Amino acid sequence: MSDIPELSSVGVLRWIWRQLTSMRVALILLLLLGVAAIPGSIFPQRTQNPMKVQEFFTQNPGLAKWMDAIKLFDVYSSPWFSAIYLLLFISLVGCVLPRTFSHLKAVGAQPPLTPKFLDRMEFYATVNGNPAVALDKSEKWLKKNRFRIRREENSISAEKGYLRETGNLLFHLSLLLILVAVGVGSLFGSKGEAILNVGERFINTPTSYDTLSFGKFQSEGSLIPFSLKVTDFVATYDPATNAPTDYKLTVSASNPIGSKEETKIIKVNSPLTYASTKIYLQANGYSPVVAIHDKSGKLVFEGPVAFLPQDANLTSLGAIKVPDMSPQIGFVATFVPTAARDSKRGAFSAYPEALDPRLLVSVWAGNLGLDSGIPQSVYRIDTSKMTRIGLKSLGLNQTYNFGEGTITFEGVKSWVNLQIVDDPGKMYALLGAILAVLGLLISLFTRQRRIWIKIGDTVEIAGLAKNGMTGLKEEIDQLSKELKG
Amino acid sequence: MVLVTIAFFAYATEVAFSMKNNDDNDKTDFDFTRTTKSGRIGSIMMLLALFFLFGGVLFRGLSAQRVPWGNMYEFSITGAFAVTGAYIFGVIRYRLRWLGLPISFAVLLTLGTAVTVLYRPSAPLVPALKSTWLAIHVSAAIVSGGVFLLANAVAGTYLILDNIEKKGPRPTWALRLPTLEALDQLSYRLVAFVFPLWTFAVIAGAIWAESAWGRYWGWDPKETWAFITWVAYAAYLHARVTIGWRGRRAAWLCLFAGSTFLFNYVYVNIWGTGRHTYSGL
């Protein structure tokens, strides 16, 4: 250890490299990776649940700020998490690549020479056979059992089970392939969402999306030019538990745009696929259809407005904004597909299907704040600069006159949230995963062992099993029997 | 409904049998001549329990008209079946009868909570669970879990016996248990045997997630903990095969890895927030 200060910088680098590729460090990194993954399952993550993160910020502003600084809300893209797995994979490369080369060499090579003293081996036996024919007999038996054989004048050295290392290397190299595939997916992929009412059309261009994010090396021109129209959406529920049993979305789609339209069914477990792009049915809800007239009777708004479901029975909240009236009018509204009422909750939904739909509106007049430049949620209204001028529960086709105009509840449509994902790395990840399992099976269930036969005054047999796998004793017994007979 | 009731009775009978099994194995403390017999009775009871459990799982599936792996009650009874199956396999292949006491206790505990706390009437699946991958992914995960817990029981026994042997010779009741080396080797074999299956369970989950949720990996709490379990067992295998860990250290690492699996099953299912929570447990 005293020579450490004299090491050159190359020496230091070599020392670091040797440490990094040592099994002990790899093991520590592996366990560290497991530990580092834990906080992401405890604290809300931006990638999964940005709303929850926001909530956390409003509840504990001081703590959240500090936690955000060390990336506890983005654990899996944080520098420290990335550092661990990158170091681990460097360590893996440093360990596996040299082993791959030496294994490739070993595949062509003969088994090692027979050691001098066989009686030191794990399994050892002397056989009362005829030494003159013992080697020939052994060679025949070993060949039959597909051992790799090296015959010398007085001995045979045989080995079997090279596949173990092959499987081991295949497994680790496959893990590298998976990591590369994940990287490809995040650099060259895209992911977006769009809410569509039944009857609406979607064209796959960036402006059609509600949210859309691209990988670093992906641009807007790379979106597949398809279009689809939502023709029907059916949700069925179990009457006993109110739980959904099936969602079926029917679209008529054309790819590329302008080609013949085809009818396609999209379900939760069967997305619509165009090359590496997939279109998933992610969520659904109700859009009440309303018509709003002003005092003079002029139609100022008509159409479906998507509401956000709040519970399993699809009680939904939403906002209808009419900036073109003077004063501006906003409706803060609750939609219940099957109306029910009790003293505790007030109006609520008793069943997720639209059996007895009602729209509860509270009408606000004033400034909607749409010109402030701050992006607003379409489901909420900032009522700080408004006053409430009315409150009403509307049944189907009922109209409410709130003084500044009228609102008519004309009907209900379903909306669906489509998630459109392009992940070109996916197939490689799958390939890597399949190869990894294959490699794992080969390496864990292949027995690697050596057998030696030596002739002198007697016939000696010895064997060595790698990693203490069982079964070698039986093989040696069998071979001894062969030599006796 | 009738079928569910039959299944329910099957559990009750089964629970009673397991209890008997418990008592029988307890007699090991006192009398050696009688233990062979009572131990054998215990094994037969466990075998019977296995059939009844199979019946229970089967009837549950028939009554719900789907694979019976949609909520925690169903996972638990299937898990109990898997552990019992793994134990019976162990008895035949590795002479594991001595594990009967902890195993039957664990099965009893699982079934007890399943029947009292977790019971839900059978119901159809929510759309996200309607997939062939349900059968593949969940069965692989449950079998892996059963064997992981068995390995944990072996590793735990190792640690207890090791402590006892440090103080002096084994007391009479422990004489018939395998040697420490055999225990050590056994827990390794169990893990090495089932690690590929666990890997497959995670991959099958990823393939399913890709078709249901639009991504194959999203660090959902369940996924994260499955990953942690995988990493922990990978570390265990490396520690044994490459560095040569044996004995206490290996047993502790094995216990740690197994507890990450249990944590995933209990914590994430009940208090978790991820996408693996369906239909109230």
Side-chain angles (χ1 to χ4, degrees):
Chain A
M1 281 293 128
S2 60
D3 61 348
I4 278 179
E6 293 162 31
L7 278 177
S8 61
S9 56
V10 177
V12 171
L13 283 176
R14 190 174 294 152
W15 181 82
I16 291 174
W17 177 249
R18 215 175 291 137
Q19 287 301 309
L20 189 61
T21 54
S22 78
M23 197 56 228
R24 197 165 290 274
V25 172
L27 197 63
I28 292 169
L29 285 172
L30 197 59
L31 284 172
L32 215 56
L33 185 66
V35 173
I38 294 175
S41 74
I42 297 170
F43 306 116
Q45 297 295 297
R46 280 211 177 85
T47 46
Q48 293 157 357
N49 210 333
M51 305 269 268
K52 272 254 173 73
V53 177
Q54 206 117 64
E55 216 172 90
F56 200 96
F57 263 90
T58 43
Q59 279 165 7
N60 321 287
L63 186 65
K65 211 170 147 193
W66 177 83
M67 281 168 60
D68 198 28
I70 55 168
K71 301 280 177 199
L72 280 178
F73 301 114
D74 308 274
V75 166
Y76 306 107
S77 54
S78 69
W80 45 272
F81 191 77
S82 314
I84 295 172
Y85 76 74
L86 285 178
L87 279 176
L88 185 63
F89 272 92
I90 292 170
S91 162
L92 187 63
V93 170
C95 183
V96 168
L97 280 189
R99 272 176 81 162
T100 310
F101 292 131
S102 63
H103 181 60
L104 285 177
K105 263 187 227 154
V107 166
Q110 283 191 316
L113 276 171
T114 311
K116 267 206 176 113
F117 302 104
L118 287 183
D119 50 352
R120 285 179 191 168
M121 291 299 158
E122 192 179 354
F123 298 99
Y124 175 75
T126 51
V127 183
N128 292 323
N130 180 358
V133 293
L135 284 189
D136 286 337
K137 271 189 175 172
S138 305
E139 190 172 352
K140 211 173 135 201
W141 185 87
L142 288 166
K143 264 194 183 144
K144 199 178 78 193
N145 285 288
R146 287 184 295 149
F147 272 78
R148 196 180 288 243
I149 296 163
R150 174 177 196 157
R151 177 141 184 195
E152 304 279 316
E153 204 175 323
N154 297 323
S155 69
I156 289 178
S157 166
E159 184 163 10
K160 192 177 173 180
Y162 282 81
L163 266 181
R164 184 187 172 86
E165 177 73 354
T166 313
N168 182 19
L169 293 170
L170 177 65
F171 170 70
H172 287 95
L173 291 171
S174 305
L175 292 187
L176 289 176
L177 177 61
I178 293 176
L179 185 76
V180 171
V182 171
V184 167
S186 69
L187 292 177
F188 295 93
S190 67
K191 182 177 174 179
E193 287 183 24
I195 287 184
L196 297 174
N197 291 303
V198 171
E200 284 178 353
R201 183 178 289 280
F202 175 85
I203 293 165
N204 195 22
T205 54
T207 47
S208 307
Y209 285 88
D210 297 329
T211 60
L212 178 62
S213 60
F214 287 107
K216 271 212 174 74
F217 298 126
Q218 185 76 328
S219 61
E220 302 184 353
S222 57
L223 291 174
I224 289 181
F226 71 86
S227 83
L228 57 83
K229 188 183 171 203
V230 178
T231 49
D232 190 29
F233 176 75
V234 181
T236 43
Y237 298 91
D238 178 31
T241 60
N242 293 13
T245 56
D246 193 33
Y247 297 125
K248 186 177 159 196
L249 169 65
T250 314
V251 297
S252 71
S254 65
N255 176 35
I257 297 167
S259 64
K260 193 169 167 286
E261 294 216 329
E262 290 175 272
T263 302
K264 304 263 186 190
I265 306 282
I266 301 177
K267 288 191 165 202
V268 175
N269 271 305
S270 59
L272 175 59
T273 307
Y274 288 126
S276 63
T277 299
K278 287 194 176 185
I279 300 143
Y280 298 89
L281 174 60
Q282 271 294 306
N284 65 84
Y286 286 112
S287 298
V289 183
V290 294
I292 295 159
H293 294 83
D294 65 11
K295 263 191 281 195
S296 62
K298 196 182 95 188
L299 183 69
V300 285
F301 179 86
E302 184 172 31
V305 183
F307 277 36
L308 266 192
Q310 301 297 308
D311 59 24
N313 286 332
L314 299 183
T315 303
S316 307
L317 294 184
I320 305 161
K321 300 174 188 180
V322 195
D324 297 341
M325 286 172 80
S326 167
Q328 291 186 328
I329 297 291
F331 301 88
V332 178
T334 303
F335 172 76
V336 287
T338 300
R341 175 172 280 281
D342 65 19
S343 55
K344 219 158 111 200
R345 286 181 286 179
F348 66 98
S349 173
Y351 196 66
E353 258 175 77
L355 302 177
D356 177 19
R358 289 195 90 78
L359 185 66
L360 292 74
V361 291
S362 80
V363 193
W364 295 75
N367 185 353
L368 283 168
L370 292 176
D371 307 325
S372 65
I374 303 164
Q376 273 194 8
S377 164
V378 291
Y379 306 107
R380 286 210 186 106
I381 290 178
D382 176 13
T383 52
S384 58
K385 288 179 188 154
M386 307 183 86
T387 47
R388 191 156 80 179
I389 56 169
L391 194 66
K392 182 75 181 173
S393 166
L394 288 170
L396 216 49
N397 296 317
Q398 287 180 345
T399 300
Y400 169 51
N401 188 334
F402 50 88
E404 298 289 335
T406 61
I407 177 167
T408 308
F409 177 32
E410 293 187 323
V412 187
K413 280 187 172 174
S414 288
W415 59 258
V416 291
N417 184 18
L418 295 183
Q419 188 180 41
I420 296 154
V421 183
D422 179 20
D423 184 350
K426 212 152 50 184
M427 287 325 288
Y428 302 105
L430 181 63
L431 181 71
I434 292 170
L435 291 178
V437 173
L438 201 70
L440 204 53
L441 286 174
I442 293 171
S443 82
L444 286 175
F445 293 110
T446 305
R447 296 178 297 124
Q448 189 170 9
R449 66 271 192 204
R450 289 183 183 153
I451 291 180
W452 297 281
I453 301 103
K454 205 171 183 181
I455 50 165
D457 301 332
T458 55
V459 181
E460 293 174 279
I461 305 178
L464 179 70
K466 269 198 178 169
N467 305 109
M469 296 284 259
T470 52
L472 180 60
K473 193 174 177 305
E474 287 76 8
E475 271 181 320
I476 289 185
D477 288 348
Q478 219 183 328
L479 177 59
S480 323
K481 224 158 108 197
E482 194 85 7
L483 294 182
K484 271 182 209 155
Chain B
M1 280 309 286
V2 181
L3 291 173
V4 178
T5 323
I6 295 172
F8 213 84
F9 273 112
Y11 301 139
T13 332
E14 189 278 324
V15 168
F17 280 147
S18 313
M19 269 186 189
K20 205 165 177 187
N21 173 33
N22 257 348
D23 298 341
D24 290 337
N25 273 3
D26 268 341
K27 284 176 190 146
T28 325
D29 285 68
F30 315 110
D31 186 354
F32 262 153
T33 48
R34 277 175 61 198
T35 47
T36 324
K37 204 173 168 191
S38 59
R40 218 170 269 156
I41 293 173
S43 299
I44 292 166
M45 290 306 162
M46 280 303 262
L47 195 63
L48 264 175
L50 183 70
F51 285 118
F52 275 112
L53 274 172
F54 178 71
V57 174
L58 186 74
F59 283 135
R60 177 71 178 199
L62 288 174
S63 119
Q65 304 204 323
R66 55 178 169 76
V67 282
W69 300 321
N71 57 42
M72 235 180 134
Y73 167 73
E74 293 165 358
F75 296 146
S76 295
I77 59 169
T78 316
F81 170 69
V83 174
T84 313
Y87 167 71
I88 296 288
F89 172 76
V91 169
I92 294 166
R93 177 91 186 263
Y94 299 115
R95 297 185 193 167
L96 272 187
R97 189 191 289 157
W98 50 273
L99 259 182
L101 183 64
I103 292 293
S104 61
F105 180 68
V107 169
L108 207 60
L109 210 67
T110 312
L111 281 177
T113 44
V115 175
T116 53
V117 185
L118 301 173
Y119 183 78
R120 295 286 181 285
S122 46
L125 290 175
V126 296
L129 291 181
K130 284 192 175 151
S131 165
T132 11
W133 288 104
L134 174 66
I136 299 166
H137 168 61
V138 179
S139 61
I142 287 178
V143 172
S144 310
V147 181
F148 282 153
L149 294 187
L150 201 63
N152 257 18
V154 175
T157 315
Y158 175 91
L159 287 173
I160 294 168
L161 283 185
D162 190 47
N163 271 341
I164 290 170
E165 283 196 1
K166 266 189 193 147
K167 286 177 200 137
R170 287 187 181 189
T172 38
W173 63 266
L175 281 179
R176 286 159 54 85
L177 299 183
T179 61
L180 286 178
E181 291 88 79
L183 287 173
D184 189 44
Q185 192 66 26
L186 182 64
S187 59
Y188 165 67
R189 279 220 194 112
L190 287 169
V191 172
F193 166 76
V194 84
F195 185 70
L197 187 65
W198 178 245
T199 311
F200 172 76
V202 173
I203 291 168
I207 295 172
W208 186 11
E210 193 277 325
S211 78
W213 300 332
R215 83 286 186 291
Y216 54 87
W217 195 265
W219 296 108
D220 175 86
K222 197 91 183 180
E223 291 171 346
T224 305
W225 280 93
F227 172 77
I228 292 168
T229 303
W230 189 84
V231 162
Y233 277 113
Y236 171 78
L237 290 177
H238 278 108
R240 281 197 74 108
V241 176
T242 320
I243 305 187
W245 278 24
R246 293 287 181 274
R248 294 189 70 82
R249 279 200 293 185
W252 277 117
L253 189 52
C254 181
L255 278 182
F256 165 74
S259 57
T260 63
F261 175 85
L262 264 186
F263 181 82
N264 195 3
Y265 181 64
V266 178
Y267 169 80
V268 179
N269 276 30
I270 296 176
W271 295 284
T273 50
R275 288 177 159 224
H276 277 81
T277 45
Y278 292 106
S279 68
L281 301 178

